[in-house]
């Protein structure tokens, strides 16, 4: 609700770091919302953040992988994996609710592509 309000009423530069994929769907319905993600390379023994900002939402979360690398107890990692699956199942219902809410909420401010593009210097690079 907060992200939707900011996008529709303010069109302000706002950064959300989120694992809620439903939130990334705002870009499909609200003209001033743009998704970006930072890439990483993972293997069984490491995670390397590549510090590259790319278009679109991230297709995965690295939290569980990091917990495994940090040698969290196996039962904690297994519980985290179960909870992630539950959230993904719940996410489909939440995504439908969000999409219906956005579609029925009326006018949405539109921004040009130039207005939606954030120069790298504004991102701290």
């Amino acid at each position: 609700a907060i992200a939707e309000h900011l996008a529709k009423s303010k069109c302000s530069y706002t950064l959300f770091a989120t694992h809620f994929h439903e939130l990334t769907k705002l870009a499909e319905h609200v003209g001033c919302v743009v998704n970006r993600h930072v890439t990483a390379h993972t293997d069984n023994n490491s995670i390397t953040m590549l510090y590259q900002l790319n278009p679109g939402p991230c297709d995965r979360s690295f939290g569980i992988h990091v917990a495994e690398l940090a040698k969290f107890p196996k039962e904690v990692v297994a519980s985290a994996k179960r909870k992630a699956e539950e959230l993904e199942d719940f996410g489909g219902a939440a995504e439908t609710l969000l999409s219906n809410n956005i579609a029925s909420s009326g006018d949405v401010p539109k921004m040009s592509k130039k207005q939606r593009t954030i120069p790298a210097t504004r991102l701290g690079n």
Side-chain angles (χ1 to χ4, degrees):
I2 294 167
E4 184 178 358
H5 169 75
L6 289 172
K8 289 182 175 181
S9 67
K10 305 296 181 190
C11 279
S12 62
Y13 288 110
T14 307
L15 177 65
F16 280 91
T18 182
H19 296 300
F20 292 105
H21 298 288
E22 305 81 35
L23 205 55
T24 65
K25 296 294 182 181
L26 279 172
E28 296 174 11
H29 304 283
V30 181
C32 62
V33 174
V34 177
N35 289 311
R36 299 284 187 259
H37 69 276
V38 178
T39 58
H41 172 73
T42 61
D43 62 31
N44 291 334
N45 300 316
S46 70
I47 181 169
T48 304
M49 301 308 287
L50 301 178
Y51 301 101
Q52 296 172 343
L53 191 62
N54 294 308
C58 188
D59 61 355
R60 65 180 285 205
S61 169
F62 299 103
I64 293 173
H65 191 78
V66 169
E68 290 173 319
L69 293 172
K71 306 291 189 226
F72 270 66
K74 291 183 190 291
E75 62 273 7
V76 173
V77 173
S79 177
K81 288 178 180 179
R82 282 192 303 276
K83 290 183 185 293
E85 289 174 9
E86 290 172 13
L87 289 172
E88 287 175 12
D89 291 341
F90 174 76
E95 184 177 319
T96 300
L97 180 64
L98 180 65
S99 293
N100 290 341
N101 184 33
I102 291 170
S104 65
S105 62
D107 293 333
V108 175
K110 299 290 182 199
M111 296 177 76
S112 71
K113 185 174 182 178
K114 183 177 180 181
Q115 289 172 306
R116 294 183 305 189
T117 303
I118 302 171
T121 54
R122 292 192 61 188
L123 296 171
N125 291 344

